[in-house]
Amino acid sequence: MNGGTPYSSFQSYGTTEPTYVDHVGCWIETLRLIRSVPFAERKRRPTSRRYVLVCRWCRGTRMARRTWWRIAGQARSIGERSKSCTWETGKHHATYAAEPSAASHPGTVPLAPTPPQFPHQDPFAKVKDEVSAITERIRRDVCSEVPALSWAATYFFRKGAEGKRFRPTALLLLASALSQREGVAKEWLVADTLSPADTPKDVRRRQQRIAEITEMIHVASLLHDDVIDKADTRRGMSSLNEAGGNKLAVLAGDFLLARASVSLAALQNTQVIQLLSNVIEHLVTGELMQLTSSKENLTSLKHYRDKTFFKTASLIANSSKSIAILGGHPEDVCNLAFEYGRNVGLAFQYVDDVLDFVGSAESLGKPLLNDLQSGIATAPVIFAAEEFPEVVPLIWRKFENEGDVEFTLDCVQQSQGLERARELAKDHLRQACAAVDNFPDTNSKFAMECRAALRDLAECALLRQK
């Protein structure tokens, strides 16, 4: 992944800055960007969309205006030189080492050569029909003879309440990205009729089971988290514990984990069973790390990162590795799949931390400052505490006193906390994309399109507003 992303690769996506570009060597990359703009538009007054993108990228209107006019004044010579000159930008790029986590993993993912460019498209649309089939099957499989339990277990699987379905989308895209097939067979776009206890014969059906199991574990963790956090809203609606009581919510979560365990055992793959069993252990470990942290750990970014891996990233990381294992891929490819899931999972949570401060309650489906009001210090707060030490005692007492939340919010807004949390998410985004770029070579155009969709999905995790 060396060199900058040309303007054509992100203009239709509407992002405010190039995704795969490191800001080291910004001047040279800016020249590359301007060279891609038609000469006539370079001479235009700085009101075009390309100029706005350069402004945002250069982090400051004054700097960008000076940069724009300096280059515009030399536009003709740059255009002439571009025919005989190649900018060597690879040397300006740093290799981002994977941050240490509580789980063992291969480590640094090397940056690969720039992959073939595909037009940006909605990654969710790529597997929409298959994800819908999986959701339909989950609704059928989590029904119970007890009506109240059926209602509770399907509460977040009902139409309109399914959420983003980010995890099954990522897993199905990953399965296709590692396959040599040109597309998905029509019979796989219909819900599997086998019972959870039956073993699917097709590799794709077995991989679909992983997506189902992952989503059931995820929803079960949400039900339990809402009880622990005393949350009254989730996904823009009443939480299950609010609608049906704590006991029903806990039992519904346990029921989903039991059904997920049956489907997992039916796969008859001991390595996959071990991986996803570890996920459930990690969920409990992460929650206990949050509840029982010492004062020192409450302000430790490493401790927060490890807890975030356990609570959020472990599920998609180990599920991604399971997809590769069931596909019969070698260990190094399985580890790349793990790295993609791990880094996307961590980036997703860091963006969630930022949105808790700058998002809207309507789009998030839960109240703003929810973590602060729950006594949780997230990445922006930990970063802000480095600039404002007076926040540290508030973190230790978990913002219990009157005015603690408001004071902390003010410090976060005045500090670089939000920006540093975004940069942390971007670092993990780069690592996720590097993992995809290091997938084995393939002659399948569909697989390459799905790899591009995995990069776009990682970008969606970074740019999302809910």
Side-chain angles (χ1 to χ4, degrees), residues 82-310:
S82 65
K83 297 178 182 179
S84 59
C85 177
T86 300
W87 292 98
E88 297 179 357
T89 57
K91 61 187 178 183
H92 295 283
H93 287 265
T95 298
Y96 286 84
E99 297 181 50
S101 71
S104 59
H105 54 82
T108 302
V109 178
L111 297 179
T114 303
Q117 295 294 317
F118 290 89
H120 282 290
Q121 52 188 311
D122 182 3
F124 294 92
K126 195 78 174 174
V127 291
K128 179 181 177 182
D129 293 339
E130 199 171 3
V131 171
S132 296
I134 287 174
T135 305
E136 179 184 340
R137 176 178 162 80
I138 293 176
R139 291 192 194 106
R140 185 190 69 204
D141 289 346
V142 299
C143 286
S144 167
E145 296 177 357
V146 181
L149 186 56
S150 291
W151 172 80
T154 59
Y155 190 76
F156 285 124
F157 293 114
R158 296 175 297 168
K159 290 185 178 180
E162 307 101 326
K164 294 176 284 291
R165 296 187 286 189
F166 183 91
R167 290 160 188 80
T169 297
L171 295 174
L172 295 176
L173 285 174
L174 182 62
S176 295
L178 294 173
S179 172
Q180 296 295 329
R181 288 180 174 271
E182 290 292 352
V184 179
K186 290 184 179 179
E187 60 265 26
W188 295 335
L189 303 180
V190 180
D192 191 1
T193 57
L194 291 178
S195 73
D198 293 331
T199 303
K201 295 181 180 180
D202 294 332
V203 170
R204 188 69 178 198
R205 286 299 193 191
R206 290 160 67 83
Q207 291 172 325
Q208 286 180 350
R209 282 284 182 96
I210 295 296
E212 295 169 14
I213 292 165
T214 299
E215 194 66 0
M216 283 192 280
I217 293 175
H218 171 60
V219 171
S221 71
L222 296 183
L223 298 180
H224 289 163
D225 281 352
D226 287 346
V227 172
I228 294 171
D229 299 338
K230 300 178 182 178
D232 54 7
T233 59
R234 170 73 68 176
R235 294 179 178 175
M237 55 190 289
S238 296
S239 60
L240 180 58
N241 54 296
E242 178 73 13
N246 287 342
K247 290 183 180 179
L248 184 59
V250 171
L251 291 173
D254 293 346
F255 178 73
L256 288 176
L257 290 176
R259 284 297 170 94
S261 299
V262 172
S263 291
L264 180 59
L267 293 176
Q268 298 181 357
N269 186 301
T270 54
Q271 190 176 2
V272 170
I273 292 172
Q274 181 180 359
L275 285 173
L276 293 182
S277 297
N278 286 341
V279 168
I280 299 176
E281 177 188 340
H282 288 168
L283 290 171
V284 176
T285 301
E287 191 62 45
L288 286 175
M289 287 176 69
Q290 182 168 290
L291 292 174
T292 61
S293 297
S294 65
K295 287 184 176 182
E296 292 75 15
N297 285 335
L298 285 173
T299 55
S300 166
L301 184 63
K302 181 185 182 303
H303 181 270
Y304 180 74
R305 182 177 57 239
D306 291 345
K307 182 198 74 174
T308 298
F309 173 80
F310 285 136

Side-chain angles (χ1 to χ4, degrees), residues 339-341 343-344 427-437 458:
E339 282 301 310
Y340 176 82
N343 283 288
V344 166
D427 285 347
H428 286 291
L429 167 64
R430 295 185 186 102
Q431 283 295 308
C433 292
V436 174
D437 294 342

Side-chain angles (χ1 to χ4, degrees), residues 42-56:
R42 295 180 201 170
K43 301 297 289 182
R44 214 182 275 174
R45 288 197 62 80
T47 56
S48 68
R49 176 166 176 75
R50 288 180 176 87
Y51 171 73
V52 172
L53 287 170
V54 175
C55 280
R56 292 175 180 169

Side-chain angles (χ1 to χ4, degrees), residues 235-236 352 355-356 359-368 465-466:
R235 294 179 178 175
D352 203 57
L355 290 178
D356 195 42
S360 68
E362 183 178 356
S363 62
L364 292 175
K366 58 183 180 181
L368 284 179
Q465 298 298 318
K466 60 180 180 179

